[in-house]
Amino acid sequence: MNSSTLITHIKARHIFDSRGNPTIFCKVTLADGAEGCAAVPSGASTGKYECIELRDNEKAYGKKGVFKAIYGINGLIREQLVGKDAADQEAIDRLLIALDGSEQKGTLGANALLAVSLACARASAAAFHQELYRYVGGAFACKMPIPFMNVLNGGRHADNGLDIQEYMIVPHGATSFAGAMRMGSEVYHALGALLKEDDYRTALGDEGGYAPAMKSDEEALRYLVRAIEFAGYRPGKDVSLALDAAASEWYSEGKYRLNHRGHTLKGNELIDYYESLCKEFPIISLEDPLAEDDFEGFAAITERLGKEVQIVGDDLFVTNAHRLMRGIEERCCNCVLIKPNQVGTLSETAKTIHLAKEHGYQIMLSHRSGETEDSTIADLSVAFFAGQIKSGAPARAERTAKYNRLLEIEDTLEESAQFGTIPLK
Ligand code: PGA
Ligand code: ZN
């Protein structure tokens, strides 16, 4: 036990996220005066199996207040954690899980638990005078992730006629994180210029990508390829494409209803559709191509396309080691999306990542569509040697907070920094 890292105080209050909804900000103070702060994000297309975000469900803030969750932190959690060692992350997280006592963390709220869990890690890192990525990842944490930048928004993140939720550009041809950000930023602006030229609106969606009223997913993909070329890069060589279909949103009674397309497809027909998109466009990654309960469909698409295309489980795995284990057994996906707020503590996040690595899965750290200026996922992507991160467009402060933090880390690492590679295609 290290007496200087004993918790002396925990204080939570509410702040606003990028969609203007309340969320939790928490500060943990230690015996030596070190402090750590964390703010939690919030999703829109949340998976059914995610841990529960505790909201007040009362008139204030359109039922989205987080006063109950804050009350839990400033009451029971503070009472039980003061005097405990913040450097013992496992024990802190175990205690948080026990205090909540429910399967999906709905008693105190996964939002409350994550705020405390991350603030403890930050406070302890500060006590040891270490950067968070070093504190969590150790001396060899030097691998910079490839950024997956969401430059066109559809689905639940925009109201524009696109069924697919996220169209991302992946500048894997770069040799550094800074180089990748340059490519991404230039393609993003090229896309804006092309849309303007064709009289499409250039208003932004929730994740900072453009949200033009397009006729079809194919039209959106054609614009992306043109934007890559217009910026002077080679599609598929320097910059490729990635999609997050968020297909749980389309699923009802065994079928997939693509509202804007006006089609209802069976699982195998939807896989045919993805296959044709991957043939026509330089797509290297497909996230949630099928619904969160469709393990069979995920196994089928992984078998059919998984050698060439990364198949990413988000709503399917919800950063949960048990669900990932089932996916491993049933050969679903080859990459797991990691969103700490889906599972509620840093230790459980680490456990899921380690399980994924043991079984040869790729790791992609992820933001949520409702974000804050907290950049913890940037540090975690380096700490866990993830190799990939998605944090929306290279625009809007809550998105660039993560990318800017990674630029800072790469700058600090200098010659030691390594850049991720995409193992497929
Ligand atoms: P969400 O979307 O944060 O609204 O859930 C992000 C995603 O589906 O990856
Ligand atoms: Zn997703």
Side-chain angles (χ1 to χ4, degrees), residues 45-50 246-248 256 287-299 301-302 311-328 330-337 339 342 361:
S45 61
T46 44
K48 174 156 89 186
Y49 300 101
E50 288 190 25
S248 300
Y256 291 88
E287 180 182 330
D288 281 354
L290 295 144
E292 58 207 344
D293 285 308
D294 194 355
F295 277 87
E296 211 177 299
F298 267 99
I301 193 167
T302 306
I311 309 292
V312 188
D314 171 14
D315 291 353
L316 182 72
F317 297 141
V318 291
T319 317
N320 176 305
H322 296 294
R323 288 193 58 93
L324 176 60
M325 198 60 227
R326 178 168 171 202
I328 291 164
E330 297 183 25
R331 297 175 187 274
C332 300
C333 305
N334 49 28
C335 177
V336 55
L337 200 76
K339 292 169 165 169
Q342 284 180 326
Y361 279 58

Side-chain angles (χ1 to χ4, degrees), residues 183-315:
M183 285 181 176
S185 155
E186 289 173 1
V187 173
Y188 176 70
H189 289 291
L191 178 64
L194 290 175
L195 292 174
K196 217 172 202 156
E197 206 175 86
D198 294 347
D199 288 328
Y200 273 119
R201 64 177 180 155
T202 48
L204 304 182
D206 282 358
E207 297 192 348
Y210 299 110
M214 294 225 157
K215 287 181 236 8
S216 67
D217 297 326
E218 286 89 338
E219 186 189 11
L221 288 163
R222 276 193 291 275
Y223 265 97
L224 288 180
V225 170
R226 278 179 60 206
I228 294 169
E229 287 166 344
F230 190 52
Y233 298 110
R234 296 164 300 172
K237 292 263 185 321
D238 302 314
V239 184
S240 293
L241 305 179
L243 303 176
D244 178 4
S248 300
E249 302 288 325
W250 307 339
Y251 191 73
S252 162
E253 294 168 0
K255 298 229 169 80
Y256 291 88
R257 187 170 164 70
L258 280 68
N259 271 331
H260 299 299
R261 209 179 178 82
H263 281 171
T264 301
L265 302 174
K266 291 201 207 102
N268 59 341
E269 292 167 335
L270 186 55
I271 297 173
D272 292 342
Y273 175 55
Y274 291 124
E275 191 168 26
S276 71
L277 288 181
C278 291
K279 279 206 179 104
E280 196 178 343
F281 301 98
I283 295 169
I284 58 163
S285 180
L286 289 173
E287 180 182 330
D288 281 354
L290 295 144
E292 58 207 344
D293 285 308
D294 194 355
F295 277 87
E296 211 177 299
F298 267 99
I301 193 167
T302 306
E303 159 108 42
R304 180 115 65 101
L305 303 177
K307 283 198 187 62
E308 296 192 320
V309 180
Q310 179 167 270
I311 309 292
V312 188
D314 171 14
D315 291 353

